[in-house]
Amino acid sequence: MIELPSKVEGKQFDLFELEQKLKPIGYTIGGNWDYDHGAFDYKINGSEDEGYQFIRLPFQAVDGQLDDNNCTVKLGRPFLLSHVFEAELDDEASTGTFSGTFNQFQEPVDKDASFPQQFIEEGKALAQELEMLLLAD
């Protein structure tokens, strides 16, 4: 993980309006959200050889819960992360009527893999793009 100090850190936004700004440029709400916190992810690169690289923009609910209308969130510090997945079947995967519904994806071999050098500058440029987009007003 590589932290990217940014002027967006600590800024507050309506979650719906934030989604309206970030989704059109490729950000998605990552699967690790809860009722009081979550993150937007932008996939920089993905391959079996180098894993998957993301810039992540974490946020915390400050007024309401994430599934409420008019929820206000405070942004955290953006960071770069890399996930490396197993090339073969996941021996730890469980099967069953219900588990297959919820556990469809393989666990990363390394959730905090080293970040390939060639994508660091792109990640920094994406952090600057976030600042221009979100702080333009």
Side-chain angles (χ1 to χ4, degrees):
M1 178 178 82
I2 300 171
E3 291 187 348
L4 301 172
S6 173
K7 295 175 185 173
V8 301
E9 186 176 355
K11 301 295 183 193
Q12 294 185 12
F13 296 89
D14 176 86
L15 180 58
F16 178 77
E17 292 174 11
L18 188 61
E19 284 183 89
Q20 297 303 306
K21 289 181 178 184
L22 295 179
K23 283 186 175 184
I25 62 169
Y27 284 83
T28 60
I29 291 185
N32 60 342
W33 68 276
D34 203 341
Y35 290 100
D36 65 344
H37 68 277
F40 285 96
D41 289 340
Y42 180 93
K43 186 164 100 174
I44 297 171
N45 179 56
S47 72
E48 287 185 21
D49 296 336
E50 296 176 329
Y52 295 85
Q53 288 73 43
F54 299 89
I55 182 170
R56 176 164 285 171
L57 178 61
F59 56 84
Q60 182 81 29
V62 294
D63 182 21
Q65 294 184 334
L66 299 184
D67 62 346
D68 292 343
N69 290 332
N70 302 318
C71 176
T72 301
V73 296
K74 181 170 89 172
L75 299 181
R77 179 172 288 181
F79 58 92
L80 302 174
L81 74 153
S82 187
H83 287 240
V84 176
F85 294 90
E86 291 184 45
E88 285 119 35
L89 295 176
D90 188 351
D91 292 335
E92 301 296 318
S94 58
T95 59
T97 305
F98 296 105
S99 67
T101 304
F102 298 106
N103 300 324
Q104 298 177 30
F105 302 102
Q106 187 176 25
E107 283 294 313
V109 172
D110 188 351
K111 291 182 181 180
D112 195 19
S114 63
F115 200 87
Q117 188 69 34
Q118 69 265 30
F119 300 115
I120 292 175
E121 288 307 313
E122 184 175 352
K124 289 178 179 178
L126 288 166
Q128 289 178 338
E129 179 184 43
L130 279 172
E131 289 179 358
M132 290 188 305
L133 178 68
L134 299 178
L135 304 177
D137 297 334

